[in-house]
Amino acid sequence: MTRYVYDFIEGDRTRVDLLGGKGANLAEMTRLGLPVPPGFTVTTDACRVYLATGSPPAGLFDEIAEHLREVEARLDRRLGDPHDPLLLAVRSGGRYSMPGMMETILDIGLNDTSVRGLAARSGNERFAWDSYRRLIQMFGRTVYGVPGAEFDRELDVVREAAGVADAAELTAGQLRDVVAAYQKVFLAHSGREFPQAPHEQLFLAVTAVLASWNTERAVLYRRRERIPHDLGTAVNVMAMVFGNLGPDSGTGVAFTRDPATGAPGVYGDYLADAQGEDVVAGVRNTVPLAELDRIDPASFRQLRTVLTRLERHWRDLCDVEFTIERGRLWILQTRVGKRTAEAAFVIAAQLVDEGLISPDEALVRVGGDQLAQLMFPRFDPAGRGEP
């Protein structure tokens, strides 16, 4: 009988065809003992069955429920618990990276009851209602095709009535109003109330992410990048960690070297009291990652240690997504980072000097197209105005 679900602790990065790039790297980091939230991966095999039949494989949801119980036991929390709910993130992740093409749904498990339990457990009512409104918007858009603009319009109504420029300034009471408005939008477009059963939310979310492989934008992206259409996506289900719990929390993106120049050091962006989608949306200004050393020195030191370990293990520039939850660092994703042609040459040479790769491997890592780019005239990055 084909197996369709693997815990993060069961895989490694060699199983990228089965677990997808994101799932394989999460498994590898878990094996390394890095601070990865517990979770599991639904394989690309499951997606291929879905693409062929229009339905998830028989027994898939039973497998998911079994692995979910293991995550619950590890964290001593339960999905749907009205007092201390476990919440889940559901993310896509195919063999090849497709930035912005596939789907993510956060905060699976919240409903009209558990949102109050989350508020009590966290001691932050505003955070709980903000998480609930995010869930309804992402779930509605991804699972039921509710236009994102409809949710944005309702948020703008509440925001303008409150006289604030950003959703981050809304109070808990105002966010309750946003949730009520979002639920009406959801009902109007889907023909049903927002699902209150957490396991139903999870199973619908997984199915929607499998289906997202064949959205128009994903198909067009694969065609442009010459990615085979029959690979399918894996689905990664991970315990939620929160960067929007206050000033001692946040989220960011880090590179182990400068992807523009190849210079060694820690590069990236950080946004305090925020979730990852806030960084992507660009509605709030991030600060340079070096600022984290001032904001939270202990987390910054731990992050630098993790980045060094990842780069030495992957033997390459790594692109890392992370969250800090009340002073605790969590690593959500890593992959070999994209870089400019100039940085490709510099990094390859540096890695040879550091004994991480051989000269022959360095030559393979720098392609002819990158060499061609460096032969064209360029503006002086230092701005000296010289040819």
Side-chain angles (χ1 to χ4, degrees), residues 238-296:
M238 176 189 290
M240 280 291 301
V241 291
F242 299 98
N244 55 335
L245 275 168
D248 59 351
S249 303
T251 189
V253 177
F255 296 88
T256 55
R257 298 175 194 240
D258 188 339
T261 68
V266 176
Y267 294 83
D269 298 289
Y270 182 71
L271 188 58
D273 196 13
Q275 288 289 79
E277 68 268 25
D278 298 325
V279 177
V280 175
V283 295
R284 295 171 57 192
N285 293 327
T286 60
V287 299
L289 188 58
E291 277 291 293
L292 181 59
D293 192 19
R294 178 186 59 81
I295 297 169
D296 186 348

Short mmCIF file of all heavy atoms in Angstrom, two decimals, residues 238-296:
data_model
loop_
_atom_site.label_atom_id
_atom_site.label_comp_id
_atom_site.label_asym_id
_atom_site.label_seq_id
_atom_site.Cartn_x
_atom_site.Cartn_y
_atom_site.Cartn_z
N MET A 238 2.60 22.10 9.39
CA MET A 238 3.53 22.43 10.47
C MET A 238 2.81 23.16 11.59
O MET A 238 1.90 23.96 11.34
CB MET A 238 4.65 23.33 9.90
CG MET A 238 5.65 23.83 10.91
SD MET A 238 6.74 25.10 10.17
CE MET A 238 7.70 24.10 9.05
N ALA A 239 3.21 22.86 12.82
CA ALA A 239 2.65 23.59 13.96
C ALA A 239 2.96 25.08 13.81
O ALA A 239 4.08 25.46 13.46
CB ALA A 239 3.23 23.06 15.26
N MET A 240 1.97 25.91 14.06
CA MET A 240 2.15 27.36 13.94
C MET A 240 3.06 27.89 15.04
O MET A 240 2.96 27.47 16.20
CB MET A 240 0.81 28.08 14.04
CG MET A 240 -0.02 28.08 12.76
SD MET A 240 0.68 29.08 11.43
CE MET A 240 0.76 30.72 12.18
N VAL A 241 3.93 28.81 14.67
CA VAL A 241 4.64 29.65 15.62
C VAL A 241 4.35 31.09 15.21
O VAL A 241 4.11 31.37 14.03
CB VAL A 241 6.15 29.36 15.65
CG1 VAL A 241 6.42 27.99 16.25
CG2 VAL A 241 6.77 29.47 14.26
N PHE A 242 4.37 31.99 16.17
CA PHE A 242 3.80 33.31 15.93
C PHE A 242 4.82 34.42 16.13
O PHE A 242 5.43 34.55 17.19
CB PHE A 242 2.61 33.54 16.86
CG PHE A 242 1.50 32.54 16.67
CD1 PHE A 242 1.39 31.43 17.50
CD2 PHE A 242 0.59 32.69 15.63
CE1 PHE A 242 0.38 30.50 17.32
CE2 PHE A 242 -0.41 31.75 15.43
CZ PHE A 242 -0.52 30.66 16.28
N GLY A 243 4.97 35.22 15.09
CA GLY A 243 5.82 36.40 15.19
C GLY A 243 5.06 37.66 15.54
O GLY A 243 5.67 38.73 15.67
N ASN A 244 3.74 37.55 15.68
CA ASN A 244 2.92 38.73 15.94
C ASN A 244 2.36 38.74 17.37
O ASN A 244 1.21 39.10 17.61
CB ASN A 244 1.78 38.83 14.92
CG ASN A 244 0.90 37.58 14.86
OD1 ASN A 244 1.35 36.48 15.20
ND2 ASN A 244 -0.33 37.74 14.43
N LEU A 245 3.22 38.36 18.32
CA LEU A 245 2.79 38.31 19.72
C LEU A 245 3.30 39.50 20.53
O LEU A 245 3.17 39.51 21.75
CB LEU A 245 3.28 37.01 20.37
CG LEU A 245 2.36 35.79 20.18
CD1 LEU A 245 3.07 34.52 20.61
CD2 LEU A 245 1.06 35.97 20.95
N GLY A 246 3.89 40.49 19.87
CA GLY A 246 4.39 41.65 20.59
C GLY A 246 5.79 42.01 20.16
O GLY A 246 6.37 41.41 19.25
N PRO A 247 6.41 42.99 20.81
CA PRO A 247 7.73 43.48 20.40
C PRO A 247 8.86 42.46 20.56
O PRO A 247 9.91 42.62 19.95
CB PRO A 247 7.96 44.70 21.29
CG PRO A 247 7.04 44.50 22.46
CD PRO A 247 5.85 43.78 21.93
N ASP A 248 8.65 41.41 21.38
CA ASP A 248 9.69 40.38 21.53
C ASP A 248 9.49 39.24 20.53
O ASP A 248 10.10 38.18 20.66
CB ASP A 248 9.70 39.83 22.95
CG ASP A 248 8.37 39.22 23.37
OD1 ASP A 248 7.37 39.38 22.62
OD2 ASP A 248 8.32 38.61 24.45
N SER A 249 8.65 39.46 19.54
CA SER A 249 8.39 38.48 18.48
C SER A 249 8.58 39.16 17.13
O SER A 249 8.61 40.39 17.04
CB SER A 249 6.97 37.92 18.59
OG SER A 249 6.74 37.34 19.87
N GLY A 250 8.71 38.35 16.09
CA GLY A 250 8.87 38.92 14.75
C GLY A 250 9.20 37.86 13.73
O GLY A 250 9.25 36.66 14.04
N THR A 251 9.43 38.30 12.51
CA THR A 251 9.70 37.37 11.43
C THR A 251 10.70 37.99 10.48
O THR A 251 10.84 39.21 10.41
CB THR A 251 8.40 37.02 10.68
OG1 THR A 251 8.63 35.95 9.76
CG2 THR A 251 7.85 38.21 9.92
N GLY A 252 11.42 37.14 9.74
CA GLY A 252 12.42 37.69 8.84
C GLY A 252 12.92 36.69 7.83
O GLY A 252 12.59 35.51 7.85
N VAL A 253 13.75 37.21 6.94
CA VAL A 253 14.42 36.43 5.91
C VAL A 253 15.91 36.71 6.03
O VAL A 253 16.32 37.88 6.15
CB VAL A 253 13.92 36.79 4.51
CG1 VAL A 253 14.69 36.00 3.45
CG2 VAL A 253 12.43 36.52 4.38
N ALA A 254 16.73 35.66 6.01
CA ALA A 254 18.16 35.83 6.17
C ALA A 254 18.91 35.11 5.06
O ALA A 254 18.50 34.03 4.61
CB ALA A 254 18.61 35.29 7.53
N PHE A 255 20.02 35.69 4.63
CA PHE A 255 20.94 35.06 3.69
C PHE A 255 22.28 34.90 4.38
O PHE A 255 22.72 35.79 5.12
CB PHE A 255 21.12 35.92 2.43
CG PHE A 255 19.86 36.08 1.62
CD1 PHE A 255 18.97 37.10 1.88
CD2 PHE A 255 19.58 35.20 0.59
CE1 PHE A 255 17.80 37.25 1.15
CE2 PHE A 255 18.42 35.33 -0.17
CZ PHE A 255 17.53 36.37 0.12
N THR A 256 22.94 33.79 4.12
CA THR A 256 24.21 33.54 4.79
C THR A 256 25.35 34.36 4.19
O THR A 256 26.42 34.47 4.80
CB THR A 256 24.57 32.05 4.71
OG1 THR A 256 24.56 31.62 3.34
CG2 THR A 256 23.56 31.21 5.49
N ARG A 257 25.15 34.92 3.01
CA ARG A 257 26.06 35.88 2.40
C ARG A 257 25.23 36.85 1.57
O ARG A 257 24.06 36.58 1.28
CB ARG A 257 27.10 35.18 1.50
CG ARG A 257 28.00 34.21 2.24
CD ARG A 257 28.93 33.45 1.34
NE ARG A 257 29.49 32.34 2.10
CZ ARG A 257 30.80 32.16 2.34
NH1 ARG A 257 31.68 33.03 1.87
NH2 ARG A 257 31.22 31.13 3.04
N ASP A 258 25.83 37.96 1.19
CA ASP A 258 25.11 38.95 0.40
C ASP A 258 24.82 38.37 -0.98
O ASP A 258 25.75 38.09 -1.75
CB ASP A 258 25.96 40.22 0.28
CG ASP A 258 25.21 41.36 -0.38
OD1 ASP A 258 24.21 41.10 -1.08
OD2 ASP A 258 25.61 42.53 -0.18
N PRO A 259 23.54 38.16 -1.34
CA PRO A 259 23.23 37.55 -2.64
C PRO A 259 23.49 38.49 -3.81
O PRO A 259 23.46 38.05 -4.96
CB PRO A 259 21.74 37.22 -2.53
CG PRO A 259 21.21 38.19 -1.52
CD PRO A 259 22.33 38.42 -0.54
N ALA A 260 23.76 39.77 -3.54
CA ALA A 260 24.05 40.71 -4.62
C ALA A 260 25.54 40.77 -4.94
O ALA A 260 25.93 40.86 -6.10
CB ALA A 260 23.55 42.11 -4.25
N THR A 261 26.38 40.69 -3.89
CA THR A 261 27.82 40.83 -4.09
C THR A 261 28.62 39.60 -3.72
O THR A 261 29.77 39.45 -4.12
CB THR A 261 28.36 42.01 -3.26
OG1 THR A 261 28.26 41.68 -1.86
CG2 THR A 261 27.59 43.29 -3.56
N GLY A 262 28.03 38.73 -2.90
CA GLY A 262 28.74 37.55 -2.41
C GLY A 262 29.53 37.81 -1.14
O GLY A 262 30.16 36.89 -0.61
N ALA A 263 29.49 39.04 -0.63
CA ALA A 263 30.26 39.37 0.58
C ALA A 263 29.79 38.52 1.75
O ALA A 263 28.59 38.31 1.94
CB ALA A 263 30.11 40.85 0.91
N PRO A 264 30.71 38.00 2.57
CA PRO A 264 30.31 37.20 3.74
C PRO A 264 29.62 38.07 4.78
O PRO A 264 29.80 39.29 4.83
CB PRO A 264 31.64 36.65 4.26
CG PRO A 264 32.68 37.58 3.73
CD PRO A 264 32.17 38.10 2.43
N GLY A 265 28.82 37.43 5.62
CA GLY A 265 28.09 38.15 6.66
C GLY A 265 26.63 37.76 6.63
O GLY A 265 26.20 36.94 5.80
N VAL A 266 25.86 38.32 7.55
CA VAL A 266 24.42 38.03 7.65
C VAL A 266 23.65 39.17 6.98
O VAL A 266 23.80 40.33 7.35
CB VAL A 266 24.00 37.88 9.12
CG1 VAL A 266 22.50 37.68 9.23
CG2 VAL A 266 24.73 36.71 9.76
N TYR A 267 22.83 38.81 6.00
CA TYR A 267 22.06 39.79 5.26
C TYR A 267 20.59 39.40 5.29
O TYR A 267 20.25 38.22 5.38
CB TYR A 267 22.54 39.89 3.82
CG TYR A 267 23.95 40.44 3.70
CD1 TYR A 267 25.05 39.60 3.86
CD2 TYR A 267 24.17 41.79 3.47
CE1 TYR A 267 26.34 40.09 3.77
CE2 TYR A 267 25.45 42.29 3.39
CZ TYR A 267 26.53 41.44 3.54
OH TYR A 267 27.81 41.94 3.46
N GLY A 268 19.70 40.38 5.19
CA GLY A 268 18.28 40.09 5.15
C GLY A 268 17.46 41.18 5.76
O GLY A 268 17.92 42.32 5.96
N ASP A 269 16.20 40.84 6.07
CA ASP A 269 15.24 41.80 6.60
C ASP A 269 14.51 41.21 7.79
O ASP A 269 14.31 39.99 7.87
CB ASP A 269 14.22 42.18 5.52
CG ASP A 269 14.87 42.84 4.31
OD1 ASP A 269 15.32 43.98 4.44
OD2 ASP A 269 14.92 42.19 3.26
N TYR A 270 14.09 42.09 8.69
CA TYR A 270 13.37 41.66 9.89
C TYR A 270 12.21 42.61 10.13
O TYR A 270 12.31 43.82 9.87
CB TYR A 270 14.30 41.66 11.10
CG TYR A 270 13.63 41.19 12.38
CD1 TYR A 270 13.28 39.85 12.54
CD2 TYR A 270 13.32 42.08 13.40
CE1 TYR A 270 12.66 39.41 13.69
CE2 TYR A 270 12.70 41.65 14.56
CZ TYR A 270 12.37 40.31 14.70
OH TYR A 270 11.75 39.87 15.85
N LEU A 271 11.10 42.06 10.61
CA LEU A 271 9.93 42.86 10.93
C LEU A 271 9.39 42.39 12.28
O LEU A 271 8.98 41.23 12.43
CB LEU A 271 8.85 42.69 9.85
CG LEU A 271 7.62 43.59 9.93
CD1 LEU A 271 8.01 45.06 9.90
CD2 LEU A 271 6.67 43.29 8.77
N ALA A 272 9.44 43.26 13.26
CA ALA A 272 8.98 42.92 14.61
C ALA A 272 7.46 42.86 14.66
O ALA A 272 6.76 43.56 13.91
CB ALA A 272 9.50 43.94 15.62
N ASP A 273 6.94 42.02 15.57
CA ASP A 273 5.50 41.89 15.80
C ASP A 273 4.74 41.68 14.49
O ASP A 273 3.82 42.42 14.16
CB ASP A 273 4.98 43.13 16.54
CG ASP A 273 3.59 42.90 17.14
OD1 ASP A 273 3.15 41.73 17.21
OD2 ASP A 273 2.94 43.89 17.53
N ALA A 274 5.16 40.66 13.73
CA ALA A 274 4.56 40.43 12.42
C ALA A 274 4.66 38.96 12.05
O ALA A 274 5.47 38.21 12.59
CB ALA A 274 5.28 41.26 11.36
N GLN A 275 3.82 38.55 11.09
CA GLN A 275 3.89 37.23 10.49
C GLN A 275 4.53 37.33 9.12
O GLN A 275 4.67 38.43 8.56
CB GLN A 275 2.49 36.61 10.38
CG GLN A 275 1.89 36.17 11.71
CD GLN A 275 2.57 34.95 12.29
OE1 GLN A 275 3.64 35.04 12.87
NE2 GLN A 275 1.94 33.79 12.14
N GLY A 276 4.89 36.19 8.56
CA GLY A 276 5.62 36.17 7.31
C GLY A 276 4.90 36.87 6.17
O GLY A 276 5.53 37.54 5.35
N GLU A 277 3.58 36.72 6.11
CA GLU A 277 2.86 37.35 5.00
C GLU A 277 2.91 38.87 5.06
O GLU A 277 2.72 39.55 4.06
CB GLU A 277 1.40 36.86 4.95
CG GLU A 277 0.52 37.30 6.09
CD GLU A 277 0.50 36.29 7.23
OE1 GLU A 277 1.47 35.52 7.37
OE2 GLU A 277 -0.48 36.29 7.98
N ASP A 278 3.18 39.43 6.26
CA ASP A 278 3.32 40.88 6.37
C ASP A 278 4.57 41.36 5.64
O ASP A 278 4.59 42.44 5.03
CB ASP A 278 3.41 41.30 7.84
CG ASP A 278 2.15 40.95 8.62
OD1 ASP A 278 1.06 41.01 8.03
OD2 ASP A 278 2.26 40.59 9.80
N VAL A 279 5.63 40.56 5.69
CA VAL A 279 6.86 40.91 4.98
C VAL A 279 6.63 40.84 3.48
O VAL A 279 7.01 41.73 2.72
CB VAL A 279 8.01 39.97 5.40
CG1 VAL A 279 9.28 40.28 4.59
CG2 VAL A 279 8.29 40.10 6.89
N VAL A 280 5.98 39.75 3.03
CA VAL A 280 5.72 39.57 1.61
C VAL A 280 4.81 40.66 1.06
O VAL A 280 5.01 41.17 -0.05
CB VAL A 280 5.10 38.18 1.34
CG1 VAL A 280 4.72 38.01 -0.12
CG2 VAL A 280 6.07 37.08 1.77
N ALA A 281 3.78 41.04 1.84
CA ALA A 281 2.82 42.03 1.37
C ALA A 281 3.43 43.41 1.21
O ALA A 281 2.95 44.23 0.43
CB ALA A 281 1.63 42.09 2.34
N GLY A 282 4.48 43.69 1.97
CA GLY A 282 5.14 44.98 1.86
C GLY A 282 4.36 46.14 2.43
O GLY A 282 4.64 47.30 2.12
N VAL A 283 3.37 45.85 3.29
CA VAL A 283 2.56 46.93 3.84
C VAL A 283 3.23 47.60 5.03
O VAL A 283 2.81 48.67 5.46
CB VAL A 283 1.16 46.41 4.26
CG1 VAL A 283 0.39 45.92 3.04
CG2 VAL A 283 1.28 45.28 5.29
N ARG A 284 4.26 46.97 5.56
CA ARG A 284 5.03 47.56 6.65
C ARG A 284 6.51 47.52 6.30
O ARG A 284 6.96 46.62 5.61
CB ARG A 284 4.78 46.80 7.96
CG ARG A 284 3.34 46.91 8.47
CD ARG A 284 3.09 45.96 9.63
NE ARG A 284 4.01 46.20 10.72
CZ ARG A 284 4.16 45.37 11.76
NH1 ARG A 284 3.47 44.24 11.80
NH2 ARG A 284 5.01 45.65 12.72
N ASN A 285 7.24 48.50 6.78
CA ASN A 285 8.66 48.60 6.44
C ASN A 285 9.50 47.70 7.34
O ASN A 285 9.43 47.78 8.56
CB ASN A 285 9.13 50.04 6.58
CG ASN A 285 8.49 50.95 5.54
OD1 ASN A 285 8.20 50.53 4.42
ND2 ASN A 285 8.24 52.20 5.90
N THR A 286 10.30 46.86 6.71
CA THR A 286 11.23 46.01 7.46
C THR A 286 12.46 46.81 7.86
O THR A 286 12.68 47.94 7.38
CB THR A 286 11.67 44.81 6.61
OG1 THR A 286 12.33 45.28 5.43
CG2 THR A 286 10.46 43.97 6.20
N VAL A 287 13.28 46.23 8.73
CA VAL A 287 14.57 46.82 9.08
C VAL A 287 15.65 45.84 8.65
O VAL A 287 15.41 44.64 8.51
CB VAL A 287 14.68 47.11 10.59
CG1 VAL A 287 13.61 48.10 11.02
CG2 VAL A 287 14.57 45.82 11.41
N PRO A 288 16.87 46.33 8.40
CA PRO A 288 17.96 45.41 8.06
C PRO A 288 18.15 44.37 9.16
O PRO A 288 17.98 44.67 10.35
CB PRO A 288 19.17 46.33 7.95
CG PRO A 288 18.61 47.68 7.66
CD PRO A 288 17.30 47.74 8.39
N LEU A 289 18.50 43.16 8.76
CA LEU A 289 18.62 42.07 9.72
C LEU A 289 19.62 42.39 10.83
O LEU A 289 19.46 41.91 11.97
CB LEU A 289 19.01 40.79 9.00
CG LEU A 289 19.01 39.50 9.82
CD1 LEU A 289 17.64 39.24 10.42
CD2 LEU A 289 19.45 38.32 8.97
N ALA A 290 20.63 43.18 10.52
CA ALA A 290 21.62 43.54 11.54
C ALA A 290 20.98 44.25 12.73
O ALA A 290 21.51 44.21 13.85
CB ALA A 290 22.70 44.43 10.92
N GLU A 291 19.82 44.89 12.53
CA GLU A 291 19.12 45.57 13.62
C GLU A 291 18.63 44.58 14.68
O GLU A 291 18.40 44.96 15.82
CB GLU A 291 17.93 46.36 13.07
CG GLU A 291 18.26 47.73 12.54
CD GLU A 291 18.66 48.67 13.66
OE1 GLU A 291 17.81 49.00 14.51
OE2 GLU A 291 19.84 49.04 13.71
N LEU A 292 18.45 43.31 14.28
CA LEU A 292 18.01 42.31 15.25
C LEU A 292 19.01 42.15 16.38
O LEU A 292 18.64 41.81 17.52
CB LEU A 292 17.78 40.96 14.55
CG LEU A 292 17.28 39.80 15.41
CD1 LEU A 292 15.94 40.14 16.07
CD2 LEU A 292 17.16 38.53 14.58
N ASP A 293 20.27 42.42 16.11
CA ASP A 293 21.30 42.35 17.15
C ASP A 293 21.02 43.34 18.27
O ASP A 293 21.33 43.09 19.44
CB ASP A 293 22.68 42.61 16.55
CG ASP A 293 23.82 42.27 17.50
OD1 ASP A 293 23.59 41.52 18.47
OD2 ASP A 293 24.95 42.75 17.28
N ARG A 294 20.41 44.46 17.93
CA ARG A 294 20.04 45.45 18.94
C ARG A 294 18.69 45.12 19.58
O ARG A 294 18.52 45.25 20.79
CB ARG A 294 19.95 46.84 18.29
CG ARG A 294 19.52 47.96 19.23
CD ARG A 294 19.33 49.27 18.49
NE ARG A 294 18.32 49.17 17.44
CZ ARG A 294 17.01 49.24 17.67
NH1 ARG A 294 16.54 49.39 18.91
NH2 ARG A 294 16.16 49.14 16.67
N ILE A 295 17.74 44.63 18.77
CA ILE A 295 16.39 44.36 19.26
C ILE A 295 16.36 43.13 20.17
O ILE A 295 15.71 43.12 21.22
CB ILE A 295 15.44 44.15 18.06
CG1 ILE A 295 15.36 45.44 17.22
CG2 ILE A 295 14.04 43.75 18.53
CD1 ILE A 295 14.67 45.23 15.88
N ASP A 296 17.06 42.06 19.75
CA ASP A 296 17.04 40.78 20.47
C ASP A 296 18.40 40.11 20.29
O ASP A 296 18.55 39.21 19.45
CB ASP A 296 15.91 39.90 19.94
CG ASP A 296 15.73 38.62 20.73
OD1 ASP A 296 16.61 38.28 21.55
OD2 ASP A 296 14.70 37.93 20.51
#
